[in-house]
Amino acid sequence: MKGKVIEVTIDNIVGEVMNMKNDGQRFVTFSTYQEAEGKLGILYHFDKDLEDTHLRLVVDMDKPIPSVSGVFFGALLVENEIRDQWDVEFDGLVLDFNRTLYLDPEVTQVPLVSNVKIEPKK
Amino acid sequence: MLFTPTVVKNLLKKPATRKYPFEVREPFPNFRGELVIDIDSCIFCGMCVRKCPCQCITVDKQAGTWTCDLHECISCGYCRDHCPTKCLTMKDTHRKPLLEKTAWVEQGTPPKPKKKAAAKKEAAPAEAEKPAAKKAPKKKADKK
Amino acid sequence: MATTVIPFGPQHPVLPEPVHLTLKVEDEIVKEAVPALGYVHRGLEKLADIRDYHQMITVCERVCGICSMIHGTCYSQCIEEAMGVEVTDRAKMLRVIWSELHRMHSHLLWLGLFADAFGFESLFMQFWKVRERIMDINEATAGSRVIVSVNVIGGVRADLSPDQLRWILSELDVAEKEIKEMQDTIMNDYTVKTRTCGVGVLSYDQAYELGAAGPTLRGSGVASDMRMSGYGAYGELDLEPIIETSGDCWARSTVRFREVLQSIDLVRQAISKLPEGEIAVKVKGNPPAGKEVYARVEQPRGECVYYIKGNGTKHLDRLRIRTPTFANIPPLLAMLPECELADVPVIVLSIDPCISCTER
């Protein structure tokens, strides 16, 4: 993957993101993937003058994750989308839609956790 | 005021719209339109079934039928590109609107020489199966 | 001072796609805006579990109808990088030609809708009349008007003959003449300027910190264009990002208009530099397990980010798409306070909202 990847932990994530902001980096987005059973990998992507920098964070899905929407206001939509897709909690989210941003209130199945691989019909 | 020259030009020229359906434009040759199959050259290999992104084609090799669900088809042309005998082509006009949902089934002749070879093979393994069946329970008894 | 709550609903004559904003208004001045999305969520990222990676191109192209070729290009580039496939130069240049044609027709569509937002219907019809020429070029060369579906993994699947290239150049000459006739109106007309100058101002620092993308960012003075990083064949073409400094709706509209003229110039350059060669390379195998690829391209609305994680099988582990309108919604929430209620449709339309991209 192009760009530098820095590993962070749950304790220093907000500090690292604040460093990125003071450095003049522009916030791009987050990407998430399933690291292992019950663990979620989050990649924070930043950009400055067309060069990419990434921060990688691996968390357990049942503990709340510190939110960076106080540092970057633009992160609030992505964090709400991650709440919808993986059913995790964010600590300190500025505007919380409580899993109704995309999904309807009565939907209980979590989209990206239930791994359904259907074989194409013969 | 800056737009006035354009307004005057539009008033003096003929309208920019065509009176469809009384006047129809010439179709472009590369347009991906309605799917057409030449069922006599089809060998029922099933390549189009595997490549279709919407899974709208079904092929039955024994009965020799080729079915396409017209309302699922997105006219992408992947089946036409991957067909080994080139029996699928696309016309350069759209399919006309239909009044009710019909299934499009083409009946062709199922591949015959393979059936003859299959018949020969059925005779041979039937003979080989009997001694194999006798051997198999012995082997299983040993393993257990 | 009476406070009212007005829903800027999912159905509105000016919106091309449904988005809902709840506006808190005090005597016609908007104080606060809260968005509500989710009207066209289709769950396309989950479809990567069911369709294999060759069939996913057709899904990625249908994330957005207007920028469909560029979504397909970005996805193909990611898979080609993951599998180590080298695309021929002719295929890269052909992809650039169709991408720039898409950028032209998207901006012409937006310019028409923008004129319609403040009631100038005749200008709307003029822009869409020019756009029909570009749609005819798409149909004659690639096979379809809007979703051209000409990308495959390893290259493209339609070629341009020398006759077609000459025809494209002559059509672009006529289109350029017609577009330049409208330049005076869209940039200098008194009505247009009164409705758009000073409306929805976004400063340089705000646009940079909130993560805006595309003409929203370039209209505030930040010179950032993904095409400068030289992906595909853009490294061989000559281009500069177009910026305006005032940060209001007029600036964003001018950036898009000038980008149409820049795209015509880029297509002419690409046609003159088109190399000979094959148009596609055969691809075998699957994306390797554990390999992550991250790519950014420039769509008409801004920068689009694709993140792909391979699995070793023919299905992908994770496909993540972030489209430019998703990044432009927080700046919209920062532009709306302290504006008049009648300016809200013009401001919402000036970020070029493509909600079906946002909520794929």
Side-chain angles (χ1 to χ4, degrees):
Chain A
M1 201 162 68
K2 286 193 296 259
K4 220 169 42 163
V5 183
I6 307 175
E7 304 275 341
V8 291
T9 63
I10 236 180
D11 303 316
N12 55 359
I13 177 67
V14 186
E16 285 289 327
V17 172
M18 192 72 102
N19 286 348
M20 290 279 151
K21 186 172 179 182
N22 294 338
D23 189 31
Q25 303 265 354
R26 196 180 131 245
F27 170 70
V28 179
T29 193
F30 300 179
S31 303
T32 51
Y33 58 95
Q34 183 100 43
E35 172 81 30
E37 196 65 42
K39 276 190 176 299
L40 184 68
I42 311 184
L43 278 165
Y44 294 68
H45 305 292
F46 295 92
D47 151 66
K48 185 178 179 184
D49 292 336
L50 302 177
E51 274 188 32
D52 315 308
T53 318
H54 316 281
L55 300 175
R56 193 194 297 270
L57 173 67
V58 179
V59 280
D60 292 327
M61 280 171 38
D62 40 1
K63 284 196 285 222
I65 309 170
S67 155
V68 300
S69 49
V71 180
F72 278 113
F73 182 69
L76 77 97
L77 270 187
V78 193
E79 294 189 340
N80 274 301
E81 191 187 336
I82 296 177
R83 280 210 69 187
D84 269 358
Q85 288 179 333
W86 300 94
D87 197 13
V88 291
E89 289 273 328
F90 275 93
D91 201 11
L93 197 53
V94 172
L95 180 60
D96 196 350
F97 283 89
N98 211 357
R99 299 202 76 218
T100 57
L101 181 68
Y102 291 162
L103 304 171
D104 291 329
E106 59 262 7
V107 171
T108 50
Q109 197 185 41
V110 181
L112 291 177
V113 170
S114 47
N115 254 327
V116 185
K117 283 208 191 311
I118 305 179
E119 289 299 311
K121 55 180 192 283
K122 288 276 168 209
Chain B
M1 290 314 292
L2 296 167
F3 197 56
T4 322
T6 320
V7 174
V8 172
K9 255 196 273 188
N10 282 346
L11 282 173
L12 297 175
K13 282 200 292 199
K14 62 181 175 76
T17 49
R18 217 179 273 125
K19 288 188 175 33
Y20 187 83
F22 305 111
E23 276 177 36
V24 180
R25 179 200 68 183
E26 281 289 317
F28 287 109
N30 281 347
F31 182 61
R32 290 197 297 269
E34 192 178 348
L35 189 64
V36 174
I37 183 170
D38 180 15
I39 198 68
D40 297 319
S41 1
C42 177
I43 57 170
F44 302 98
C45 62
M47 193 67 154
C48 50
V49 180
R50 281 191 291 273
K51 295 291 179 185
C52 175
C54 336
Q55 321 272 287
C56 60
I57 303 183
T58 22
V59 160
D60 190 345
K61 199 163 180 177
Q62 311 304 102
T65 52
W66 182 94
T67 317
C68 171
D69 189 352
L70 286 174
H71 298 273
E72 294 279 324
C73 176
I74 56 174
S75 300
C76 61
Y78 279 18
C79 50
R80 170 195 60 166
D81 291 339
H82 292 276
C83 177
T85 53
K86 304 275 179 265
C87 62
L88 283 162
T89 47
M90 292 182 108
K91 292 206 293 206
D92 56 8
T93 47
H94 265 301
R95 183 186 79 232
K96 290 269 179 285
L98 303 166
L99 283 175
E100 52 185 30
K101 275 195 174 184
T102 51
W104 180 32
V105 183
E106 292 275 348
Q107 174 70 45
T109 48
K112 270 188 189 160
K114 293 211 169 156
K115 262 198 168 175
K116 275 191 189 167
K120 278 189 184 169
K121 280 188 184 169
E122 273 177 24
E127 293 178 10
E129 242 181 323
K130 286 180 193 168
K134 280 187 186 167
K135 281 186 188 170
K138 274 190 185 173
K139 278 191 180 169
K140 278 186 187 170
D142 286 343
K143 278 185 184 172
K144 277 186 184 171
Chain C
M1 286 291 222
T3 313
T4 340
V5 174
I6 297 186
F8 185 79
Q11 295 295 350
H12 196 278
V14 89
L15 286 176
E17 286 159 25
V19 69
H20 177 81
L21 292 171
T22 314
L23 304 168
K24 285 203 179 55
V25 175
E26 252 183 46
D27 268 3
E28 292 237 6
I29 311 277
V30 175
K31 291 292 175 202
E32 204 184 312
V34 177
L37 306 174
Y39 289 98
V40 272
H41 179 59
R42 294 167 281 168
L44 293 181
E45 293 183 359
K46 184 74 181 156
L47 213 50
D49 286 343
I50 307 179
R51 303 273 176 249
D52 65 42
Y53 70 96
H54 284 288
Q55 296 168 336
M56 271 311 273
I57 288 196
T58 47
V59 176
C60 284
E61 282 171 350
R62 283 156 176 80
V63 169
C64 178
I66 310 179
C67 16
S68 78
M69 170 83 191
I70 306 174
H71 272 291
T73 308
C74 191
Y75 177 79
S76 313
Q77 269 184 293
C78 284
I79 299 276
E80 284 152 11
E81 191 181 319
M83 293 173 62
V85 173
E86 191 61 44
V87 182
T88 61
D89 287 334
R90 187 173 174 99
K92 284 187 195 168
M93 201 59 97
L94 285 173
R95 280 178 179 169
V96 164
I97 293 179
W98 275 307
S99 300
E100 290 303 315
L101 285 171
H102 260 71
R103 195 181 312 273
M104 268 192 264
H105 97 73
S106 168
H107 282 324
L108 285 170
L109 184 145
W110 181 84
L111 283 165
L113 289 181
F114 190 62
D116 192 38
F118 41 82
F120 202 157
E121 268 194 47
S122 328
L123 192 60
F124 166 39
M125 295 299 172
Q126 284 295 113
F127 275 120
W128 280 46
K129 190 170 84 158
V130 180
R131 185 174 167 254
E132 282 299 310
R133 287 191 191 275
I134 317 276
M135 312 302 268
D136 282 347
I137 298 179
N138 272 348
E139 190 177 351
T141 52
S144 189
R145 280 164 58 103
V146 180
I147 297 192
V148 291
S149 198
V150 86
N151 265 316
V152 281
I153 304 209
V156 292
R157 57 178 178 147
D159 205 356
L160 289 176
S161 65
D163 281 336
Q164 283 177 319
L165 290 172
R166 273 194 291 269
W167 179 67
I168 292 179
L169 287 172
S170 66
E171 288 279 308
L172 284 179
D173 284 337
V174 178
E176 189 178 14
K177 207 167 65 91
E178 288 177 354
I179 292 173
K180 282 195 168 152
E181 279 174 21
M182 288 177 279
Q183 179 167 1
D184 229 358
T185 316
I186 191 76
M187 295 193 352
N188 296 332
D189 191 74
Y190 174 70
T191 324
V192 176
K193 281 190 126 161
T194 331
R195 283 304 296 268
T196 55
C197 279
V199 165
V201 180
L202 196 66
S203 69
Y204 183 104
D205 291 321
Q206 270 182 317
Y208 198 79
E209 275 178 18
L210 291 170
T216 315
L217 187 64
R218 292 199 283 279
S220 300
V222 182
S224 161
D225 189 336
M226 275 304 119
R227 293 176 286 174
M228 306 294 288
S229 65
Y231 67 88
Y234 281 107
E236 303 171 24
L237 299 177
D238 200 17
L239 70 119
E240 289 286 324
I242 293 182
I243 51 176
E244 291 278 328
T245 46
S246 40
D248 52 12
C249 293
W250 185 88
R252 293 189 272 274
S253 153
T254 310
V255 164
R256 288 188 179 103
F257 186 85
R258 283 164 58 193
E259 279 189 359
V260 174
L261 297 172
Q262 188 193 40
S263 289
I264 296 183
D265 183 43
L266 282 173
V267 174
R268 287 188 182 134
Q269 278 185 42
I271 289 182
S272 69
K273 292 186 180 170
L274 193 60
E276 299 294 324
E278 293 285 316
I279 53 173
V281 174
K282 204 96 173 86
V283 169
K284 287 204 187 310
N286 294 326
K291 178 116 188 196
E292 301 177 321
V293 183
Y294 172 80
R296 292 192 287 165
V297 292
E298 178 80 13
Q299 281 190 351
R301 284 157 184 72
E303 65 164 2
C304 175
V305 170
Y306 264 68
Y307 167 78
I308 285 185
K309 187 153 189 236
N311 204 348
T313 63
K314 61 182 180 165
H315 299 282
L316 291 172
D317 196 15
R318 178 82 172 105
L319 166 67
R320 157 99 173 114
I321 309 174
R322 187 225 69 175
T323 47
T325 311
F326 194 83
N328 278 338
I329 291 188
L332 175 68
L333 302 179
M335 277 191 240
L336 280 176
E338 304 303 325
C339 79
E340 307 234 346
L341 185 60
D343 288 334
V344 170
V346 176
I347 297 178
V348 170
L349 200 59
S350 76
I351 62 166
D352 212 349
C354 181
I355 305 294
S356 65
C357 270
T358 312
E359 299 175 7
R360 69 261 162 256

